[in-house]
């Protein structure tokens, strides 16, 4: 009986941790401005292909704004935090020219000023945001 109670307590704690990861990530991202430190596909670093120029803000309710103030560029998008197959994900949908960021990103690691994501499909993509 004790083993059964311990099992369910552990299972509950683990599912709660995933939800806490989503909440923590969303709260972190909605606090301030972010920049892309790394964007890569299949091991090829594409960060300098214009991605590092943008400043990102996440509004905490599903909206993303990416801008290059010096050029007057403003790109909008949406994001959604969700759990799929027990994996915490951040779905991003951006418009041209940032549509390559459209992905279900697995939350790989996060710190106070850094959020690391990796693609959750067959492509090998990585996305790292750093707080400005």
């Amino acid at each position: 009986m004790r083993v059964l109670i311990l099992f369910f307590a552990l299972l509950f704690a683990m599912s709660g941790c995933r939800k806490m990861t989503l909440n923590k990530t969303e709260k972190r991202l909605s606090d301030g401005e972010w920049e892309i430190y790394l964007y890569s596909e299949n091991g090829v670093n594409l960060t300098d292909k214009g991605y590092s120029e943008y400043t990102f803000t996440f509004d905490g309710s599903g909206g993303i704004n990416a801008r290059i103030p010096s050029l007057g560029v403003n790109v909008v998008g949406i994001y959604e935090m969700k759990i799929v197959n027990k994996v915490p994900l951040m779905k991003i949908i951006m418009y041209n020219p940032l549509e390559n960021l459209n992905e279900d990103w697995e939350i790989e690691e996060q710190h106070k000023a850094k959020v690391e994501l990796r693609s959750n499909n067959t492509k090998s993509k990585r996305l790292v945001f750093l707080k400005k």
Side-chain angles (χ1 to χ4, degrees):
M1 183 68 171
R2 285 184 191 164
V3 173
L4 190 57
I5 292 172
L6 180 60
F7 172 75
F8 283 114
L10 183 60
L11 184 63
F12 178 74
M14 287 174 59
S15 64
C17 287
R18 291 183 187 105
K19 184 67 173 166
M20 282 182 9
T21 297
L22 292 180
N23 292 341
K24 187 184 245 184
T25 303
E26 187 164 29
K27 185 175 181 186
R28 265 198 184 117
L29 286 171
S30 66
D31 181 29
E33 296 181 329
W34 296 81
E35 61 188 350
I36 292 180
Y37 173 74
L38 173 69
Y39 172 66
S40 67
E41 289 185 23
N42 299 317
V44 177
N45 187 340
L46 301 173
T47 311
D48 291 334
K49 302 286 184 198
Y51 295 98
S52 60
E53 299 175 30
Y54 288 88
T55 297
F56 290 81
T57 53
F58 298 82
D59 68 9
S61 63
I64 306 171
N65 188 18
R67 57 187 167 68
I68 306 175
S70 62
L71 299 178
V73 174
N74 191 46
V75 180
V76 296
I78 58 175
Y79 71 94
E80 177 187 9
M81 307 300 254
K82 59 186 179 176
I83 297 175
V84 176
N85 296 327
K86 301 180 183 179
V87 176
L89 297 176
M90 178 179 180
K91 181 180 189 76
I92 295 178
I93 300 174
M94 295 295 296
Y95 299 100
N96 192 26
L98 297 175
E99 69 275 355
N100 285 344
L101 302 181
N102 296 352
E103 192 75 52
D104 281 336
W105 296 96
E106 185 174 335
I107 301 166
E108 191 169 67
E109 191 175 332
Q110 61 176 315
H111 304 282
K112 198 172 196 176
K114 181 179 180 182
V115 175
E116 293 187 41
L117 308 168
R118 70 177 170 91
S119 61
N120 192 37
N121 64 22
T122 57
K123 295 179 185 175
S124 178
K125 290 182 172 181
R126 294 200 46 182
L127 180 61
V128 179
F129 285 103
L130 289 183
K131 193 165 189 176
K132 284 188 90 168

